[in-house]
Amino acid sequence: MKKQLILTFVILSLFTQCKKEALKDSKIEQVLAENNYDLGGSLIFELYSDSTYNFTSIVKSPNYEKIEKFKGFCEVKNDTLYFKPFEFEYTNSKKAVIKNNFIEFISDKSSFRIEIKKNSLNIKSKIDFTNFEDYAIFTFKPESEKSEYKPYDINQKELEEIDKILSKCFTENKSKLKNKNEYVKQCVIVTNINNEKEVWVSCYCKNEYDKSGFKYSLIEMNDGGECNISVKINLTKKQYSELNIAGLA
């Protein structure tokens, strides 16, 4: 009887160990995304093969530190992450899109992205930003389903065309503006009611203390003069219009 109990205990121990190993093997990190802010702190998003995710927000200052951790589930379909059973709490996003080496969270709260550092999913970036490091592209979010504007995803050739038209804008208005290379460019691309491709470009003077923040979320700035510029590019017609320099009449 004693030998039988010992044998049963050994079998259960081996079964438990095998089960733990199996669970361990099934939880493989598929995506690691991270924003490191020059002014302090970071955001880390980890997605695993068992459909779980971990998100860590670290805020730092000389005499302050705050760490928040979120856990949950999300389902991956094609290039989209669907958060279940509840939205991603940090941004109230019900879904996110893996696009151009970023995870872009889609919500009414904000346009927010985390830069991908590792990705084992079969999703490749559509655009190479090697020669366009001061550009960031954000997805348009209509205010209502009746909006005349629809989001549009550009390709590599179209990004090159945007840069070409923007260079023309800066050349033709050089007396009012700094050199184009002194700005970061945030772009939102849509199709209008005539099915023409429009690019809404916001340019801001580069910040030596925060060199990468423009890639993560849309900047909101009042005034700023020549350090706050907006222009509309019609990619279909290959022309620009509505150049606005904040602070100038």
Side-chain angles (χ1 to χ4, degrees):
M1 182 69 178
K2 186 176 181 181
K3 289 182 179 180
Q4 187 177 359
L5 287 172
I6 293 173
L7 181 60
T8 301
F9 176 77
V10 170
I11 292 173
L12 286 173
S13 297
L14 289 172
F15 175 78
T16 302
Q17 183 64 31
C18 289
K19 188 174 181 180
K20 286 181 178 179
E21 290 297 324
L23 288 172
K24 182 179 178 182
D25 291 339
S26 68
K27 190 179 178 71
I28 301 171
E29 185 181 69
Q30 292 184 313
V31 177
L32 170 63
E34 182 175 7
N35 289 353
N36 287 303
Y37 294 92
D38 298 309
L39 299 177
S42 63
L43 298 173
I44 303 170
F45 184 90
E46 299 163 295
L47 175 64
Y48 297 95
S49 56
D50 63 352
S51 297
T52 61
Y53 70 82
N54 293 334
F55 177 79
T56 305
S57 168
I58 302 173
V59 179
K60 289 184 178 180
S61 65
N63 52 8
Y64 174 82
E65 180 174 299
K66 180 181 178 181
I67 299 176
E68 290 184 290
K69 294 186 177 181
F70 303 85
K71 294 183 179 181
F73 296 88
C74 65
E75 181 181 3
V76 181
K77 289 184 179 180
N78 299 320
D79 61 353
T80 306
L81 280 60
Y82 296 90
F83 297 96
K84 297 181 177 181
F86 308 107
E87 69 273 6
F88 178 59
E89 187 175 351
Y90 188 77
T91 60
N92 293 335
S93 302
K94 294 183 179 179
K95 63 181 180 178
V97 177
I98 296 177
K99 183 188 298 183
N100 298 326
N101 209 42
F102 281 86
I103 298 178
E104 186 165 347
F105 296 88
I106 301 172
S107 74
D108 296 331
K109 184 177 179 181
S110 63
S111 295
F112 175 71
R113 312 193 307 169
I114 301 182
E115 189 169 11
I116 294 174
K117 305 297 184 180
K118 170 190 171 183
N119 182 12
S120 61
L121 298 174
N122 189 27
I123 302 171
K124 295 183 179 179
S125 178
K126 295 179 181 178
I127 299 178
D128 181 2
F129 286 89
T130 302
N131 297 322
F132 304 94
E133 294 182 346
D134 51 12
Y135 277 84
I137 298 175
F138 294 84
T139 301
F140 172 68
K141 296 178 300 181
E143 292 183 359
S144 72
E145 295 181 358
K146 297 180 181 179
S147 173
E148 65 182 78
Y149 298 103
K150 306 298 180 185
Y152 177 77
D153 290 331
I154 61 171
N155 56 37
Q156 188 74 35
K157 186 176 180 180
E158 289 170 326
L159 176 58
E160 293 169 1
E161 187 64 38
I162 290 169
D163 185 62
K164 182 179 177 181
I165 297 170
L166 192 61
S167 294
K168 180 182 178 182
C169 172
F170 272 82
T171 299
E172 293 180 349
N173 297 276
K174 60 183 178 181
S175 62
K176 307 174 187 176
L177 309 174
K178 293 177 178 287
N179 185 283
K180 181 169 76 77
N181 294 330
E182 296 184 51
Y183 295 87
V184 296
K185 299 91 174 171
Q186 294 188 321
C187 303
V188 177
I189 298 95
V190 301
T191 55
N192 61 24
I193 196 169
N194 298 317
N195 204 33
E196 297 170 333
K197 303 168 192 173
E198 286 187 4
V199 186
W200 303 337
V201 188
S202 297
C203 303
Y204 304 97
C205 288
K206 291 181 178 179
N207 186 340
E208 63 177 316
Y209 302 107
D210 185 15
K211 296 179 180 179
S212 56
F214 79 97
K215 297 187 295 183
Y216 306 146
S217 58
L218 288 168
I219 297 171
E220 293 184 6
M221 181 186 296
N222 294 319
D223 201 357
E226 61 183 4
C227 279
N228 180 6
I229 300 161
S230 65
V231 63
K232 182 167 72 175
I233 291 175
N234 189 308
L235 201 53
T236 303
K237 296 180 179 179
K238 293 182 171 47
Q239 62 187 31
Y240 71 88
S241 63
E242 300 182 28
L243 173 64
N244 181 273
I245 303 171
L248 296 182

